[in-house]
Amino acid sequence: MNTPPLSAEQEALYRLIEDTREHVFVTGRAGTGKSTLLQHLAWNTSKQIAVCAPTGVAALNVEGQTIHSLFRLPIGLIAGSDLDQNDATRKILNAIDTLVIDEISMVNADLMDGIDRSLRQARGRRAEPFGGVQVIMFGDPYQLAPVPPRGDELRYVRDHYRSFWFFDAHVWAGEPTGDGLVDLGRFGAQLHVRELRDIHRQSDPGFKALLNAVRHGHVTADMAKILNDTGARTPPAATGDEPPIITLATRNDRVNAINRRHLDALPGRAQTAQAEINGDFGRGDAGHPADAELQLKVGAQVMFLRNDSQPFGETARWVNGTIGTVVRITGGTVRVEIDGREHDVEPAVWERFRYAYNPATRSLSREIVAEFTQFPLRLAWAVTIHKSQGKTYDRAVVDLGSGAFAPGQTYVALSRLTSLDGLYLSRPLRPSDVRVDPDVERFMRSARGAAS
C-alpha cells in the first residue's frame, strides 16, 4: 500500500521511531498529521509491529486489534490481579518488536501498567519495562480522556496513582506497583514526548491562535468575542448548490433527533440497508463502524465514514468526513452528489483483525476474524462531537447544548473547521465550555520543558 508522503517534521519523527528503541508518545494539535504518520509507520516499518487501540472502532480505524483482546486482559480495573496467558498469547507477545497504541489518551494508567506487566510476564523479562518491547503511542490528551473510574475503582486509583491518565502509570513514573513483580523504581521506562507542530487543516494564523487558546484554556475576553461574534449568525438555508450545514452536538439524543427530523421531512419512504455482519463485532452499535440498519431517502445529507478506495495517486472522490447528498438509491449502490458531481457508492467491508504467531517464519501475521459490510455512509445533518474526531469540515454549527461536559470537547468541535468563516454557534460560548484537564496541562508543560 502506498501512503501519502511525509512532511520533513513527520519524516524526522518516523526515523526516531524506526532507527531507535525509544518509547515515544506522538502528540500534536488537531490536524497535524498524527494519523498519517501512524499509517506510514504501519506500512513501511521493518520491525515486527502490533497495532492496537482501546476501543473496537478505534482499532478498526488503524486496522489493528483492541488492547484487551490482544493482551487477553480482564475488563475493568486490573490492579494486582493474576494475568492468565495461554501459549498462543505468549507467542504473539514474544514476537513483537514494537507495540503501537492509537488513541492513547483513552488508555488509563491501570491499563498501561497492565500492558507492561503482561509483556514482562509473557517474555520472561520482568526487569525490563514492557519486557523489552518498544512502545509507540499516538493521541492528543487535549481531545480525548479515559473513562473516569467510579466507586471502589475511584478510591483505588486515588490511593495508587497521581491521576488516571496513561502518563501517570507506574511504568513511566518509576514507582513500585506493590505487586512484587519488580522494583519499578529501579527499572522505570523513559517516555519521549514528540509534539507535531505543523497544522495541515487550517491555514489562517489568527484562527490557529484562537484554537490554540481554546486547547490550553487561555481564552481571553477579546478572543471569546471574536468567536461569539463570528458564530452568532443564522446558518444559511439549504439550496440546490449548498446542502444544510452539519451540526456538531454533545449528546447522541440531540444528534438523533436532528437527523430523524430532517429525514422525516423528506418525501417518500425511507429505504433500509441492512449490514452484513460475519464474526464478532461486539455488542450493540458502539462496536460497529457504521449503522447496522442505515435508513436513507433521496435528498438525505450523508457523511462518508472512510476514504475512497481509489488507488493512491488517483484523485480521491471523497475522504472520511466528506458531506454529500443522496440523489438515487438502487439495490446495490447509493448515488451521492458531492460538490456538483455524482458518484455511485457501493458497500464497504470493514475487517476486524487478530494477531497470530507463525512458527514457520517466526513472525506475526494478521488474521481476519470478523467482517462488517455496509454502505460507508451516515446521516449527517448532525453528528456527535466525539464521532467528529479526525474529521474536517468547511462549515458547521457547534451546538454545546447545556454545556461541554468533558475537557477538550469544545476544542474538538472548533478544530474540525478549516476556517473561522465556517463557524456557526447555536448559542454563545461560555467560560465553562472551555475546559482543560489540569493533569494534562501539568504533564504537557513538563514534557515541553524537558524538550526545550
Side-chain angles (χ1 to χ4, degrees):
M1 174 180 177
N2 291 318
T3 53
L6 299 181
S7 67
E9 180 183 48
Q10 292 168 325
E11 178 64 30
L13 188 44
Y14 172 68
R15 294 269 42 110
L16 171 67
I17 295 168
E18 184 70 5
D19 298 340
T20 75
R21 301 291 302 162
E22 306 288 359
H23 305 299
V24 183
F25 169 39
V26 180
T27 189
R29 287 173 282 178
T32 50
K34 297 183 292 294
S35 296
T36 299
L37 178 57
L38 189 156
Q39 184 184 59
H40 183 90
L41 172 66
W43 283 95
N44 293 281
T45 182
S46 61
K47 299 176 179 179
Q48 289 277 337
I49 73 166
V51 182
C52 61
T55 68
V57 172
L60 286 173
N61 289 339
V62 292
E63 297 185 340
Q65 194 170 340
T66 65
I67 293 170
H68 284 87
S69 64
L70 175 61
F71 288 92
R72 297 294 189 265
L73 291 170
I75 301 299
L77 203 66
I78 299 168
S81 60
D82 292 336
L83 300 180
D84 294 327
Q85 295 177 333
N86 58 30
D87 188 55
T89 299
R90 285 192 296 272
K91 286 181 177 178
I92 291 169
L93 299 186
N94 269 280
I96 297 173
D97 293 326
T98 299
L99 177 70
V100 178
I101 308 175
D102 194 28
E103 300 292 12
I104 187 63
S105 63
M106 298 179 69
V107 175
N108 63 58
D110 173 71
L111 181 56
M112 192 84 245
D113 281 334
I115 293 170
D116 172 52
R117 282 181 54 204
S118 185
L119 286 167
R120 292 184 196 234
Q121 179 176 314
R123 297 165 69 91
R125 297 163 70 174
R126 297 176 184 266
E128 292 184 68
F130 304 107
V133 171
Q134 179 188 29
V135 176
I136 307 299
M137 299 164 289
F138 290 82
D140 182 6
Y142 287 102
Q143 296 187 54
L144 288 174
V147 177
R150 297 180 180 178
D152 287 342
E153 291 190 356
L154 176 58
R155 285 185 282 274
Y156 176 89
V157 169
R158 285 176 173 170
D159 283 345
H160 290 79
Y161 289 101
R162 184 170 183 177
S163 81
F164 206 38
W165 289 89
F166 76 94
F167 48 74
D168 280 330
H170 298 308
V171 63
W172 306 122
E175 296 173 2
T177 62
D179 56 21
L181 285 178
V182 65
D183 178 3
L184 289 178
R186 293 172 55 207
F187 301 106
Q190 183 177 4
L191 176 59
H192 295 262
V193 181
R194 294 293 182 268
E195 191 167 5
L196 293 170
R197 301 188 181 278
D198 297 337
I199 298 176
H200 307 287
R201 182 174 295 148
Q202 295 92 16
S203 58
D204 175 41
F207 189 38
K208 288 181 182 180
L210 288 172
L211 292 178
N212 199 44
V214 174
R215 173 182 169 90
H216 294 284
H218 300 153
V219 179
T220 66
D222 288 341
M223 290 175 174
K225 187 177 188 319
I226 293 172
L227 290 169
N228 284 328
D229 287 352
T230 303
R233 299 169 291 161
T234 301
T239 65
D241 297 327
E242 292 286 350
I245 298 176
I246 192 169
T247 295
L248 309 182
T250 56
R251 299 176 60 88
N252 269 312
D253 54 0
R254 172 69 173 151
V255 166
N256 292 337
I258 293 172
N259 284 331
R260 174 52 60 184
R261 184 178 75 247
H262 281 280
L263 188 68
D264 289 345
L266 293 174
R269 177 183 297 178
Q271 298 189 50
T272 302
Q274 192 80 33
E276 180 181 335
I277 305 173
N278 296 309
D280 180 17
F281 253 89
R283 297 178 181 177
D285 293 338
H288 294 162
D291 292 336
E293 293 184 355
L294 175 64
Q295 290 194 328
L296 295 175
K297 289 182 181 180
V298 171
Q301 179 164 296
V302 292
M303 179 176 69
F304 284 83
L305 300 176
R306 60 190 299 170
N307 294 339
D308 185 13
S309 58
Q310 292 275 79
F312 179 70
E314 297 186 21
T315 302
R317 297 165 294 176
W318 60 78
V319 296
N320 187 359
T322 293
I323 303 295
T325 304
V326 175
V327 294
R328 191 175 72 189
I329 303 172
T330 61
T333 63
V334 176
R335 177 161 287 187
V336 179
E337 180 183 338
I338 305 169
D339 295 332
R341 301 186 65 179
E342 296 182 4
H343 306 280
D344 287 328
V345 182
E346 298 179 343
V349 180
W350 284 265
E351 297 171 331
R352 174 154 285 175
F353 295 97
R354 179 177 62 203
Y355 286 95
Y357 179 70
N358 185 333
T361 60
R362 296 184 178 181
S363 63
L364 288 178
S365 61
R366 289 190 308 170
E367 299 175 343
I368 298 172
V369 295
E371 293 182 332
F372 184 101
T373 305
Q374 178 59 289
F375 290 100
L377 302 170
R378 178 195 303 276
L379 292 178
W381 289 286
V383 66
T384 61
I385 293 172
H386 182 80
K387 288 182 178 176
S388 74
Q389 194 83 15
K391 307 293 193 299
T392 300
Y393 307 114
D394 291 329
R395 306 182 304 166
V397 177
V398 176
D399 181 356
L400 296 175
S402 59
F405 58 81
Q409 202 168 40
T410 300
Y411 171 67
V412 171
L414 296 177
S415 61
R416 300 309 96 199
L417 292 163
T418 56
S419 72
L420 185 61
D421 292 338
L423 173 64
Y424 297 83
L425 293 170
S426 64
R427 63 158 175 81
L429 294 175
R430 307 166 185 155
S432 59
D433 293 325
V434 181
R435 301 175 57 193
V436 180
D437 190 299
D439 288 307
V440 172
E441 277 291 276
R442 180 251 308 164
F443 169 70
M444 291 303 297
R445 188 165 52 247
S446 66
R448 293 187 187 103
S452 61

